[in-house]
Amino acid sequence: MTSANILLVEDEPAIQELLAFNVAQCGYRAIQAFDVASAQTEINRALPDLILLDWMLPGVSGVEFAQRLRADSRTRDIPIIMLTARTDERDKIQGLEAGADDYITKPFSPRELMARIRAVLRRRAPQMTDDLVCAEGIELSPTTHRVSAKGMSIELGPTEFRLLHFFMTHAERVYSRTQLLDQVWGDHVFVEERTIDVHIRRLRQALEPSSTDNLIQTVRGSGYRFSKE
Amino acid sequence: MTSANILLVEDEPAIQELLAFNVAQCGYRAIQAFDVASAQTEINRALPDLILLDWMLPGVSGVEFAQRLRADSRTRDIPIIMLTARTDERDKIQGLEAGADDYITKPFSPRELMARIRAVLRRRAPQMTDDLVCAEGIELSPTTHRVSAKGMSIELGPTEFRLLHFFMTHAERVYSRTQLLDQVWGDHVFVEERTIDVHIRRLRQALEPSSTDNLIQTVRGSGYRFSKE
DNA sequence: AAGAATTGTGACAGACGCGTGACAGTCAGT
DNA sequence: ACTGACTGTCACGCGTCTGTCACAATTCTT
């Protein structure tokens, strides 16, 4: 556990070296691959504990590769951090939908990268096979992107889905609008704080018919909290 | 915590002023330096909480300075945001390799700059694990923002909550109205001292049904005290 | 005991935070 | 291009909180 094996899939030599240097600096073992084919070879040889996957790759793209990894039972549970130069929000959603556990845009600070690696590795430990998130009578499946309560299916937009997902995995605690922006939208996104109010409302509205009231509580002056009242 | 010190290292006076204005606008303290030498002087005087560092500087470049800061144990952990006019990708990588935490290209919007500053400072802030405060049979949780006594939940407004929180963490001691204003309201706000009497009353009223009487005692001529009588 | 000083209490207007509906812009699929 | 879904932003209204006052109640002083 102390020295996890991290597979780096990145075609650009400069960035590859930068990654390898920082990863090694933190006490992890870096396994380098410059394309999908060699990455697959490394995986066949030994399953890594984490994969750092570049978005843009020659031949097969990172997204395709991620999907392939998720389809294989041997690699299904290996966490993936996507690496991309684009700042487009759509990419983020698509990347996460493909099965990435986290997402980081170039340029990134080495410290941020390390923080995310540690976070993902830590998060992975207890969660493991946990495909289904349950809380307060609601069931949410990150992989199938489905939500249901009391047997009824609930339709949610991408943002509402991520918001609910975050709340369900962080119940009972109050989060400020700023924190929610960081956690659900991401650091680099500039969005008005009041926008959260609107999404909270939409989420409440979507949950209302099939769930007990007041699952998402307003804590005046502080933020919001997800709990059973 | 409330007002972080931000060191601005920028040789161009116009931009320097723009930075200082925006930084001050957001409640941070701006420390201005127009070259690396004076920046070092300021750092020696007092360690800032964040450094905004221009890429191009007369004499020693920003990158070199960043590397020097990273090499020094005293300054190693101070977050740096690089400021540059170039959009070259290589520069970004080089800048981040030097240890910058984030990167912003001119021209930048003040809003974006502020967002990044906040993001970096937030990322830097220690995760508070502090959870439950117990005193005199009352339980108060800062993270969930909940209060209960004898199994019963207690509803409090924001100010009453902060007031009770302060009392519970500073029990057995008398605080004057002036001290309470400083500690609970903040030393920059101006409110009548008698206002405290009203909030004390509201707090007593909220605690009354679920707690032993006289938890908040009046010390005539001095102030108030939180204790078990 | 009377007066002065201090605190408790009820009421109130304004400020503030939040909910809500509407709207424009973007993007995917047709 | 035309839809329809989704998102971010705004303006408006409302309820709650909050600071302040006036007056009642209490305690201390003389």
Side-chain angles (χ1 to χ4, degrees):
Chain A
M1 184 57 186
T2 38
S3 87
N5 294 321
I6 299 183
L7 176 60
L8 313 174
V9 192
E10 164 68 59
D11 58 325
E12 185 127 8
I15 302 180
Q16 173 73 256
E17 282 311 312
L18 175 61
L19 291 173
F21 174 76
N22 283 293
V23 161
Q25 192 90 350
C26 277
Y28 303 115
R29 205 170 91 81
I31 303 160
Q32 305 193 25
F34 293 85
D35 53 40
V36 167
S38 59
Q40 189 65 59
T41 306
E42 290 296 339
I43 289 174
N44 292 339
R45 184 172 304 158
L47 293 176
D49 300 293
L50 180 110
I51 301 176
L52 263 179
L53 183 57
D54 189 26
W55 181 274
M56 295 287 291
L57 284 172
V60 187
S61 81
V63 184
E64 286 177 76
F65 188 48
Q67 286 169 336
R68 195 200 293 173
L69 289 170
R70 284 294 176 251
D72 188 337
S73 63
R74 294 174 307 159
T75 56
R76 191 194 306 274
D77 292 330
I78 300 176
I80 298 175
I81 296 181
M82 277 284 190
L83 207 60
T84 178
R86 310 193 199 173
T87 55
D88 196 332
E89 177 70 9
R90 278 176 308 143
D91 289 355
K92 176 170 186 176
I93 295 173
Q94 207 178 336
L96 291 173
E97 233 166 352
D101 291 75
D102 207 340
Y103 188 91
I104 194 165
T105 57
K106 308 177 202 171
F108 52 85
S109 80
R111 202 174 305 131
E112 182 183 2
L113 176 67
M114 286 308 118
R116 299 218 180 187
I117 287 178
R118 274 193 293 269
V120 167
L121 285 177
R122 212 180 314 123
R123 202 184 309 148
R124 215 60 191 159
Q127 208 166 351
M128 249 347 199
T129 58
D130 216 359
D131 186 20
L132 198 63
V133 180
C134 299
E136 313 301 346
I138 297 180
E139 296 174 14
L140 179 147
S141 166
T143 55
T144 68
H145 227 266
R146 286 225 161 95
V147 186
S148 67
K150 293 183 178 175
M152 274 178 288
S153 176
I154 296 176
E155 299 301 320
L156 293 179
T159 306
E160 279 77 35
F161 183 87
R162 276 178 296 149
L163 185 55
L164 178 61
H165 185 36
F166 176 78
F167 270 134
M168 289 181 69
T169 49
H170 298 81
E172 268 300 320
R173 177 172 167 166
V174 176
Y175 288 93
S176 70
R177 292 173 173 74
T178 308
Q179 288 175 309
L180 288 173
L181 278 184
D182 277 2
Q183 300 287 332
V184 180
W185 273 256
D187 280 350
H188 55 291
V189 177
F190 314 121
V191 174
E192 285 294 323
E193 293 202 339
R194 289 299 308 275
T195 299
I196 290 192
D197 298 30
V198 181
H199 282 277
I200 291 281
R201 178 184 167 281
R202 288 168 182 159
L203 186 51
R204 279 172 172 161
Q205 203 163 301
L207 295 178
E208 192 206 343
S210 49
S211 175
T212 44
D213 226 327
N214 219 17
L215 257 182
I216 301 173
Q217 295 144 27
T218 305
V219 181
R220 192 185 171 87
S222 297
Y224 295 96
R225 169 181 54 202
F226 179 87
S227 81
K228 59 184 174 192
E229 174 63 11
Chain B
M1 176 64 180
T2 37
S3 87
N5 294 320
I6 300 183
L7 176 60
L8 313 175
V9 192
E10 164 68 59
D11 58 323
E12 186 126 6
I15 302 180
Q16 173 72 258
E17 283 311 312
L18 176 62
L19 291 173
F21 175 77
N22 283 295
V23 161
Q25 192 88 349
C26 278
Y28 302 115
R29 208 169 92 80
I31 303 160
Q32 305 193 24
F34 292 86
D35 53 40
V36 166
S38 58
Q40 189 66 58
T41 306
E42 290 296 340
I43 289 173
N44 292 340
R45 184 172 303 159
L47 293 176
D49 300 294
L50 180 116
I51 300 176
L52 264 178
L53 183 57
D54 189 27
W55 180 274
M56 294 288 289
L57 284 173
V60 186
S61 82
V63 185
E64 286 177 76
F65 189 46
Q67 285 170 335
R68 196 200 295 172
L69 288 171
R70 285 293 177 253
D72 188 338
S73 64
R74 293 174 308 158
T75 57
R76 190 191 309 271
D77 291 330
I78 299 177
I80 298 175
I81 297 181
M82 277 285 191
L83 207 60
T84 180
R86 307 194 201 171
T87 55
D88 196 332
E89 180 72 8
R90 277 177 312 137
D91 289 355
K92 294 188 181 184
I93 294 174
Q94 203 180 339
L96 291 170
E97 219 164 2
D101 290 74
D102 208 340
Y103 189 87
I104 193 166
T105 56
K106 307 179 202 172
F108 51 85
S109 78
R111 189 178 169 205
E112 183 182 2
L113 176 67
M114 286 308 118
R116 301 221 178 187
I117 287 178
R118 273 194 291 269
V120 167
L121 284 177
R122 225 177 299 127
R123 211 178 299 150
R124 208 100 210 104
Q127 198 74 311
M128 58 172 189
T129 52
D130 126 55
D131 210 17
L132 199 62
V133 181
C134 299
E136 314 304 344
I138 297 180
E139 296 175 14
L140 180 148
S141 165
T143 56
T144 69
H145 221 272
R146 284 195 145 123
V147 186
S148 66
K150 295 182 178 175
M152 273 178 291
S153 177
I154 297 175
E155 300 300 321
L156 294 178
T159 306
E160 278 79 35
F161 185 87
R162 274 177 301 153
L163 186 56
L164 178 60
H165 185 33
F166 175 78
F167 270 133
M168 290 181 69
T169 50
H170 298 80
E172 283 296 333
R173 179 178 159 171
V174 179
Y175 287 92
S176 71
R177 292 175 173 74
T178 308
Q179 288 176 307
L180 288 173
L181 276 185
D182 282 358
Q183 298 287 331
V184 180
W185 272 256
D187 41 7
H188 57 292
V189 277
F190 169 71
V191 284
E192 287 293 324
E193 292 202 340
R194 290 301 309 276
T195 299
I196 290 193
D197 297 30
V198 181
H199 281 277
I200 292 281
R201 178 186 164 280
R202 286 168 181 158
L203 186 50
R204 280 171 171 161
Q205 202 164 299
L207 296 179
E208 192 207 343
S210 50
S211 174
T212 45
D213 237 339
N214 219 17
L215 259 181
I216 301 173
Q217 296 144 25
T218 306
V219 181
R220 192 184 172 84
S222 299
Y224 296 95
R225 169 182 52 201
F226 179 88
S227 79
K228 58 184 175 189
E229 175 67 10

